[in-house]
Amino acid sequence: MANRRKQHGAIPFERKTWGLANKRRLLHAPYEPEHRDSYLCHRTAQAWEIARLMRHATERGHLVIGLGDFNMRPKSLAHQLIETHGHVKDVWREVHPDSSLGSTEDELERERGRPIPNATYNITENGATCDSILNTWRWNKGQQKRLDKGEDIQIPNSDLDPRAKRLDYIFFGSGESTVSGSAASQSPWRVESANVGMTERHPTLHCSLSDHFSIAATLTRLPSSSSSSPSKASPRADGDASAVSLLPVETYTDVLTITSTYTTRERSQGRLRLYHFLVQIGVSVGCLVAVWWSPHNFVAFILMLLSSLGLSVGVVQGLMGGLFNLWEERGLREFKWEIERAKEAAEAIETSEKAIQSSQKI
């Protein structure tokens, strides 16, 4: 079965197909809180592209499973884009709808006012796969040095675990419900279970098997006669899944603002890189000319070295400003156009709903 998936990309199943996407790291890693993340525009565009690939697969009637390290928090902007526009569901939140929205240090989780969870609760309920106190790769240097000496350090599961969060996901969506036009809650596929795995240690090195724990899930296909009945393993109500896969208009406005801000910044940086390239050409030529009047050989060598190194840096900056920035800007224009069309659709639906409400009042 694995070989067939590698060769054909899909596995036949009762005249339907499975679409499987699996990458180690799917979104650019965040290094700052989302509201001031320097790579937020990259991450948003990447999430949109992933959602588009998933949506195209579900529209062809496939069962789509996307899994890997998405480098995002639950209910973040990227998460909303993938779930809504990808026609997929987050497996963990299907089973644990009240799980955390990040570590206790994250703004969204602080707003919920929940107490700091212990390590066990983070593993079993919150699905924490990263920065857990149980993962040795996240320990301080002192603890890691003790591990290097062969000491088997044990962390009590009852210890508070404020930094643990979920960055690894399994998304699934059934194209059968999309093709039929019904809500995603009517899909014949249900999440039977979802668990965090790979929490055990290496038997001799006593270190964790990876810097992230894994996510494992079991999906069950219901008989066609009972596909409309709710699943016991999925606590969400059927009304939670909307038949219209669009986000609020304000969300698209925020995405457009993020894109415009980033585009303006990149244009400015592109011009500075081109200026740097032109200035460096002048400096390089000046150094070569100065060699003619150099009184000593070592001075001539230093001038030649500065000219060569400076021109190399200038050429790299010129390529980034003249080619790479233009390529990135073209991609952003396409992304912006698609978001604008989605915003227009959301505005049309919002206007239609308001008109219906007004007519009902009359």
Side-chain angles (χ1 to χ4, degrees):
M1 183 176 291
N3 290 334
R4 292 180 64 186
R5 179 161 58 241
K6 289 179 181 178
Q7 294 171 2
H8 306 291
I11 300 174
F13 183 85
E14 294 184 3
R15 297 183 182 179
K16 299 294 178 183
T17 56
W18 299 57
L20 182 64
N22 180 12
K23 292 185 178 180
R24 176 65 181 90
R25 184 166 295 169
L26 294 158
L27 300 185
H28 198 292
Y31 301 107
E32 301 164 304
E34 185 166 287
H35 65 279
R36 54 186 179 88
D37 185 0
S38 301
Y39 296 99
L40 181 57
C41 185
H42 294 84
R43 294 159 48 74
T44 305
Q46 288 169 341
W48 181 265
E49 180 65 21
I50 291 170
R52 182 167 58 179
L53 293 173
M54 291 180 174
R55 183 177 70 252
H56 289 171
T58 58
E59 288 173 349
R60 292 195 297 269
H62 295 179
L63 169 66
V64 176
I65 302 175
L67 61 162
D69 178 1
F70 283 80
N71 276 318
M72 63 185 181
R73 310 292 199 276
K75 292 302 178 183
S76 62
L77 179 58
H79 188 274
Q80 294 179 57
L81 288 174
I82 290 175
E83 273 205 320
T84 303
H85 284 274
H87 297 168
V88 293
K89 290 294 182 182
D90 179 356
V91 160
W92 191 269
R93 288 191 64 81
E94 286 293 294
V95 180
H96 303 279
D98 198 39
S99 58
S100 66
L101 303 181
S103 70
T104 55
E105 301 171 353
D106 292 329
E107 183 178 354
L108 287 176
E109 186 62 18
R110 287 202 307 267
E111 291 175 354
R112 302 207 312 165
R114 303 297 176 86
I116 299 176
N118 59 33
T120 298
Y121 190 87
N122 270 335
I123 295 295
T124 58
E125 297 297 328
N126 291 334
T129 59
C130 181
D131 291 338
S132 170
I133 60 173
L134 301 180
N135 195 309
T136 63
W137 295 98
R138 302 298 180 179
W139 287 1
N140 58 47
K141 291 183 178 179
Q143 291 173 311
Q144 291 183 354
K145 286 181 179 179
R146 291 168 59 188
L147 277 181
D148 292 340
K149 296 177 181 179
E151 184 177 348
D152 186 9
I153 305 173
Q154 296 297 325
I155 303 295
N157 292 333
S158 58
D159 283 4
L160 297 181
D161 195 6
R163 297 183 58 205
K165 51 187 170 288
R166 183 162 62 99
L167 298 182
D168 302 86
Y169 295 81
I170 299 177
F171 290 100
F172 85 101
S174 172
E176 296 176 53
S177 59
T178 304
V179 171
S180 65
S182 60
S185 58
Q186 302 302 315
S187 167
W189 292 91
R190 290 292 181 270
V191 183
E192 192 70 26
S193 63
N195 304 285
V196 174
M198 289 180 62
T199 58
E200 63 273 11
R201 305 247 198 110
H202 191 278
T204 56
L205 300 177
H206 307 301
C207 65
S208 298
L209 302 179
S210 172
D211 60 336
H212 284 218
F213 295 144
S214 67
I215 292 285
T218 302
L219 301 180
T220 302
R221 181 180 172 87
L222 301 177
S224 57
S225 60
S226 60
S227 62
S228 60
S229 60
S231 170
K232 295 181 180 180
S234 299
R236 287 185 174 188
D238 285 352
D240 185 62
S242 175
V244 180
S245 296
L246 288 172
L247 292 167
V249 175
E250 295 77 13
T251 303
Y252 298 111
T253 302
D254 291 341
V255 174
L256 291 173
T257 302
I258 292 168
T259 306
S260 298
T261 302
Y262 179 79
T263 302
T264 302
R265 189 187 75 181
E266 284 303 295
R267 284 175 181 171
S268 176
Q269 291 185 355
R271 287 193 294 268
L272 291 175
R273 289 189 176 103
L274 289 175
Y275 293 154
H276 183 196
F277 171 59
L278 295 175
V279 169
Q280 199 59 55
I281 289 178
V283 172
S284 179
V285 172
C287 289
L288 292 176
V289 172
V291 170
W292 294 346
W293 291 278
S294 173
H296 303 287
N297 290 337
F298 77 90
V299 176
F301 173 78
I302 293 175
L303 290 172
M304 292 291 291
L305 181 63
L306 289 176
S307 174
S308 300
L309 293 178
L311 186 60
S312 299
V313 174
V315 168
V316 172
Q317 292 286 359
L319 289 173
M320 292 178 64
L323 294 179
F324 301 148
N325 276 44
L326 294 177
W327 172 79
E328 184 180 36
E329 190 174 335
R330 283 196 296 269
L332 287 174
R333 282 201 299 267
E334 179 183 350
F335 171 58
K336 183 179 179 181
W337 184 88
E338 292 179 354
I339 294 295
E340 288 173 343
R341 302 292 81 75
K343 181 183 178 182
E344 290 175 0
E347 288 174 337
I349 292 174
E350 193 174 274
T351 303
S352 176
E353 290 177 348
K354 288 180 180 179
I356 294 174
Q357 292 175 358
S358 300
S359 63
Q360 289 177 344
K361 288 181 181 180
I362 296 174

